[in-house]
Amino acid sequence: MTLYYEQHGQGPDVVLLHGWSFHGGVWADVARALAARYRVTVIDLPGHGRSRDAVLRAFTPETLAESVQRVVPGPAIWIGWSLGGFIALAAAQHTPQTVTKLVLVSATPKYVRSADWPHAMLPSVLAQFAQDIETDYAATFTRFLSLQSAAGEDRDMLRKLRDELFLHGEPAKGALRGGLQLLRDEDRRAVLPGIKVPTLVIHGERDRLVPVGAAQYVADRLPDARLEIIPGAGHAPFLSHPAVFMQKLNEFVQYDKTSERSEQGYIQYDKTSEP
């Protein structure tokens, strides 16, 4: 299996992982900004974008993480948006030596609501998506995109998402089905306390796909996590609020709480020193 990927810049490795039905192009602005200091790898996940013909034996967070590690086998900062957050969590859980830092963007350990988990979408919403993609891909994803934004967010952000979504054609139906099944079945809540990788949890205050309570839950249970909630943002804060998103991301990726200054000369972030 061969994945499509692009690499930009030089320095410590950063991996950018997109969400369900999208491709790496959604990260273009973030990749460009990070490439000033890092070697940034942007991957089209199996069945998506220009990796449409790449087929996995099973569509799970573990197999997806393994496919990424074939491209970037060494230590890296893993940044995962939405479904990409599941993949980054799997890498941090099973191969923590390959994850120097973890950034979870609009991510959750469980996408479907249950009696003990209110911070999620109703099962019927996911089931409807699964039914609709079989008959009308374009209309289904137009509706899906409407859930990506908070009320009042810039329409240009939705236009960017729509343009990126269809830029390289439809994702493979098998990948779409596998991704929806993953979102329906996965529950990573129990593993969170064992993931000791330094983590930034960054989330839109008005996310309609993954309510902000999920981010608060994740940050509370990860041993070394920092939570940043972006006011007014929906499910794609790196597109709707790029300046504040990059500020929070740069603060986290550049700073190391183990020392006062980095090799590049930046003042280090120390969580214990927060007021």
Side-chain angles (χ1 to χ4, degrees), residues 23 40 46 52 71 144 146 213 221 225 256 259:
H23 55 81
V40 183
R52 190 183 190 282
V71 176
F144 176 61
S146 72
R221 282 156 181 80
D256 179 356
S259 62

Side-chain angles (χ1 to χ4, degrees), residues 240-260:
S240 64
H241 295 67
V244 66
F245 178 87
M246 287 307 306
Q247 176 191 349
K248 302 302 182 184
L249 180 62
N250 280 324
E251 286 174 359
F252 178 73
V253 299
Q254 291 175 12
Y255 295 96
D256 179 356
K257 69 180 182 179
T258 62
S259 62
E260 184 179 352

Side-chain angles (χ1 to χ4, degrees), residues 3 17-19 43-49 51 64 67-68 83-84 87:
L3 290 184
L17 304 174
H18 61 79
I43 293 175
D44 286 359
L45 293 170
H48 294 73
S51 296
L64 288 163
S67 71
V68 174
L83 172 65
I87 303 167

